[in-house]
Amino acid sequence: MTPAAPAYRRLSVEERRSQLLEAALKLFAHRAPEDVSLDDVAEAAGVSRPLVYRYFPGGKQQLYEAALRSAAEELRHCFDEPLEGPLLPRLSRALDRYLGFVDEHDTGFSALLQGGSVVETSRTTAIVDGVRRAAAEHIYSHLGVAEPGPRLRMTVRTWITSVEAASLIWLDEDKQPPVAELRDWLVEQFVAVLTVTAARDPQTAAVVGALAEDGRD
């Protein structure tokens, strides 16, 4: 007897929306948003264009922003790390996840998270900035600082910006040096900028002292 075909299961609203977002993210991961049409998304998801419009009546801009929020949420989770053990290995693990995201999304990383797109708006900029601020808050927690002063805040946020810039340059340089070497360099850079700030800021000096003690354990 011929095996019966599997029963068709109608997707729930949330499942269908997730399917469309996943298809869009895969396209945005390798092409700039302005180069992706709703027809492309519909084809990638195996659905009709009207169905895409049903879930995203605002068209490609709404779909792009929803995909961006989804990617931003994934990036936020990159910095989720238990507050246990030496700090620098914790930071290394977070960077491994972050750089893994960059590697997976490849040439679309700039379009997805760094702007420079014709579909960029104040809302998309706010979404990306939210990722940066969330990363900074995670780092303050790992440093054990509840109320960072202006110099420490500036140092941490400047380093986060340098991580983004280094990631983009790494993609432009055909992913060289090897990702593990890039990660280690970024960790060393973090310690270096903290050390420079420590010469001018007692709060950062205390953080650097704690890092030195941490390294001796």
Side-chain angles (χ1 to χ4, degrees):
M1 294 178 61
T2 303
Y8 173 78
R9 185 175 74 85
R10 187 182 184 87
L11 297 180
S12 68
V13 170
E14 191 56 39
E15 287 173 330
R16 180 65 75 186
R17 190 174 188 277
S18 295
Q19 178 198 30
L20 295 175
L21 281 177
E22 183 179 354
L25 273 174
K26 286 180 179 177
L27 292 171
F28 291 142
H30 301 287
R31 289 152 61 183
E34 54 266 32
D35 295 333
V36 177
S37 70
L38 289 183
D39 285 332
D40 293 331
V41 176
E43 181 180 356
V47 302
S48 66
R49 179 188 174 97
L51 183 64
V52 179
Y53 262 114
R54 184 188 307 171
Y55 283 85
F56 299 97
K60 187 168 75 173
Q61 181 65 38
Q62 183 185 8
L63 178 59
Y64 172 67
E65 290 179 14
L68 185 60
R69 288 190 188 93
S70 178
E73 188 62 26
E74 187 175 340
L75 269 180
R76 282 193 185 95
H77 288 310
C78 289
F79 294 93
D80 289 343
E81 182 71 29
L83 300 176
E84 301 170 354
L87 170 66
L88 297 185
R90 284 185 253 158
L91 185 59
S92 292
R93 290 191 291 271
L95 282 172
D96 278 337
R97 290 189 289 270
Y98 182 91
L99 294 172
F101 179 93
V102 173
D103 189 19
E104 179 184 353
H105 288 81
D106 204 8
T107 55
F109 178 72
S110 176
L112 268 170
L113 298 172
Q114 308 305 311
S117 166
V118 297
V119 297
E120 183 182 11
T121 67
S122 60
R123 293 189 301 276
T124 61
T125 300
I127 293 168
V128 174
D129 192 53
V131 175
R132 296 170 183 146
R133 292 181 182 276
E137 291 300 325
H138 276 292
I139 291 172
Y140 302 145
S141 295
H142 285 289
L143 293 176
V145 178
E147 296 183 9
R151 287 186 175 85
L152 181 56
R153 288 200 305 271
M154 185 177 293
T155 300
V156 169
R157 293 179 67 180
T158 298
W159 179 74
I160 290 169
T161 301
S162 75
V163 170
E164 292 178 353
S167 299
L168 291 169
I169 295 168
W170 181 69
L171 291 175
D172 193 50
E173 294 288 340
D174 296 324
K175 300 182 180 178
Q176 290 298 320
V179 67
E181 185 178 329
L182 174 62
R183 176 205 63 214
D184 291 345
W185 176 70
L186 289 171
V187 171
E188 291 164 3
Q189 187 186 78
F190 181 64
V191 175
V193 294
L194 284 175
T195 302
V196 170
T197 304
R200 296 174 177 269
D201 179 48
Q203 184 183 50
T204 307
V207 167
V208 171
L211 278 175
E213 288 296 323
D214 196 30
R216 294 191 190 103
D217 293 341

